[in-house]
Amino acid sequence: MSHHKRAFLKWAGGKYRLTPEINKHLPPQPAQGACFVEPFVGAGSVFLNTDYDRYLLADINPDLINLFNIVKQDVEHYIQQARALFLATDANSEAFYYARRQEFNQSEDQFRRAVLFLYLNRFGFNGLCRYNQKREYNVPFGAYKTHYFPEQELRFFAQKAQKAQFICADFEEVFQLLEQQPDNYIVYCDPPYAPLQQESNFTNYAGGGFSLAQQTLLAEYAKQAQANKIPVLISNHDTAFTRKIYKGAKIKKIKVQRSISQKGDTRIKVDELFALFA
């Protein structure tokens, strides 16, 4: 797109670079307009770089959905409070970061948690969003030399969010909702990717893995949606497993540059695919 918009969050596995390609493979909108649905919205890069009248955006992470709804409701107040945290004298120090992480894990104030979430996201390691079994945020300090406060990105997100409904739900709930409330839906799914190799299965984005059984179930929901005249586009790694579960879809293979080491400094080209059920 001519004005490629960045999300205000860093996000492992985010689709910022792929949004032009995703737009090419989305089915055309119906004449009377469509509601664009993302069961795995993540940081929202696809949402920000598409143009629909309405959006239904879901994620299983309650902190993420809470943040989006707060930014949607009053972005100026949010910017004021979040900027103050970024400008704190020792903001870019381990001691300050871990104190804020502890505050986040102990706080029940939804606005404060939303402010802290952005700070932790920007100052934590490599755009990760990870929790332990106690649902405590446990991403380590990032130790970056410089930081950027995403003020303009926040404002653009808030403006576009006026057309969106954000809900905390898993993909099963989202697809069931689509069946219960018929509309002109177009669905894009960006699940945690199936592993290229079983031993490198890093999918713990929200306090739990995304299993091969869940990958298969998502494909079944996509096929059922297709039968109900709801087109579904799914991104994933291109493997024998994904080819099998997406059998019957229109598949487009692409090569994408991806980090493969924990340091994020080793990048290779890997095969990904778009599977369109339409």
Side-chain angles (χ1 to χ4, degrees), residues 123-138:
F123 286 74
F125 178 74
N126 213 27
L128 298 180
C129 181
R130 190 181 66 196
Y131 301 80
N132 62 23
Q133 290 184 339
K134 296 179 180 178
R135 284 292 303 166
E136 295 171 332
Y137 191 89
N138 67 352

Side-chain angles (χ1 to χ4, degrees), residues 197-236:
Q197 298 175 326
Q198 194 63 45
E199 62 270 23
S200 62
N201 188 7
F202 179 71
T203 56
N204 295 313
Y205 289 131
F210 198 78
S211 67
L212 299 185
Q214 287 172 298
Q215 298 280 1
T216 303
L217 182 58
L218 174 61
E220 292 303 317
Y221 271 109
K223 292 171 187 176
Q224 181 58 47
Q226 179 186 16
N228 292 331
K229 309 298 184 185
I230 300 173
V232 180
L233 181 68
I234 305 178
S235 300
N236 215 320

Side-chain angles (χ1 to χ4, degrees), residues 18-275:
L18 265 185
T19 52
E21 193 72 25
I22 291 167
N23 274 290
K24 290 180 190 176
H25 293 90
L26 287 170
Q29 296 190 43
Q32 60 270 50
C35 178
F36 188 75
V37 182
E38 288 192 69
F40 307 88
V41 66
S45 289
V46 177
F47 156 60
L48 294 170
N49 290 285
T50 51
D51 186 18
Y52 291 87
D53 294 333
R54 294 166 295 135
Y55 292 85
L56 176 63
L57 307 173
D59 201 279
I60 61 170
N61 186 331
D63 292 315
L64 182 68
I65 297 302
N66 173 61
L67 167 62
F68 287 168
N69 279 317
I70 283 175
V71 169
K72 174 183 175 179
Q73 290 159 12
D74 189 350
V75 69
E76 293 305 324
H77 180 50
Y78 181 83
I79 286 172
Q80 179 187 35
Q81 296 299 311
R83 187 197 292 118
L85 201 56
F86 275 61
L87 295 178
T89 305
D90 52 352
N92 193 22
S93 69
E94 282 193 68
F96 189 90
Y97 177 85
Y98 287 117
R100 299 292 76 73
R101 194 178 77 173
Q102 182 178 16
E103 180 189 355
F104 176 84
N105 286 329
Q106 294 175 348
S107 176
E108 296 182 0
D109 182 284
Q110 295 304 305
F111 183 84
R112 182 61 178 169
R113 285 179 68 88
V115 170
L116 290 166
F117 190 92
L118 178 60
Y119 166 79
L120 294 172
N121 171 265
R122 284 277 170 176
F123 286 74
F125 178 74
N126 213 27
L128 298 180
C129 181
R130 190 181 66 196
Y131 301 80
N132 62 23
Q133 290 184 339
K134 296 179 180 178
R135 284 292 303 166
E136 295 171 332
Y137 191 89
N138 67 352
V139 176
F141 180 58
Y144 299 110
K145 291 181 179 179
T146 60
H147 288 87
Y148 170 70
F149 181 65
E151 183 169 342
Q152 295 307 313
E153 290 85 349
L154 280 161
R155 287 204 172 94
F156 182 79
F157 186 99
Q159 178 185 356
K160 187 147 191 181
Q162 303 311 307
K163 299 197 294 184
Q165 178 186 3
F166 300 99
I167 61 171
C168 186
D170 64 25
F171 71 90
E172 294 183 66
E173 295 173 281
V174 174
F175 277 100
Q176 289 163 9
L177 181 64
L178 303 190
E179 284 191 19
Q180 295 162 8
Q181 301 178 11
D183 203 338
N184 292 321
Y185 297 116
I186 292 176
V187 183
Y188 170 66
C189 295
D190 180 30
Y193 276 16
L196 288 168
Q197 298 175 326
Q198 194 63 45
E199 62 270 23
S200 62
N201 188 7
F202 179 71
T203 56
N204 295 313
Y205 289 131
F210 198 78
S211 67
L212 299 185
Q214 287 172 298
Q215 298 280 1
T216 303
L217 182 58
L218 174 61
E220 292 303 317
Y221 271 109
K223 292 171 187 176
Q224 181 58 47
Q226 179 186 16
N228 292 331
K229 309 298 184 185
I230 300 173
V232 180
L233 181 68
I234 305 178
S235 300
N236 215 320
H237 281 141
D238 187 0
T239 68
F241 170 74
T242 54
R243 291 266 178 168
K244 179 181 178 182
I245 63 173
Y246 298 151
K247 187 177 180 181
K250 297 175 185 175
I251 292 179
K252 169 70 175 179
K253 175 180 174 179
I254 59 171
K255 282 196 175 291
V256 177
Q257 197 149 22
R258 187 167 301 286
S259 298
I260 59 169
S261 73
Q262 286 191 338
K263 293 180 181 179
D265 56 5
T266 304
R267 302 183 71 85
I268 62 168
K269 291 272 190 177
V270 298
D271 290 336
E272 295 194 9
L273 59 74
F274 292 118

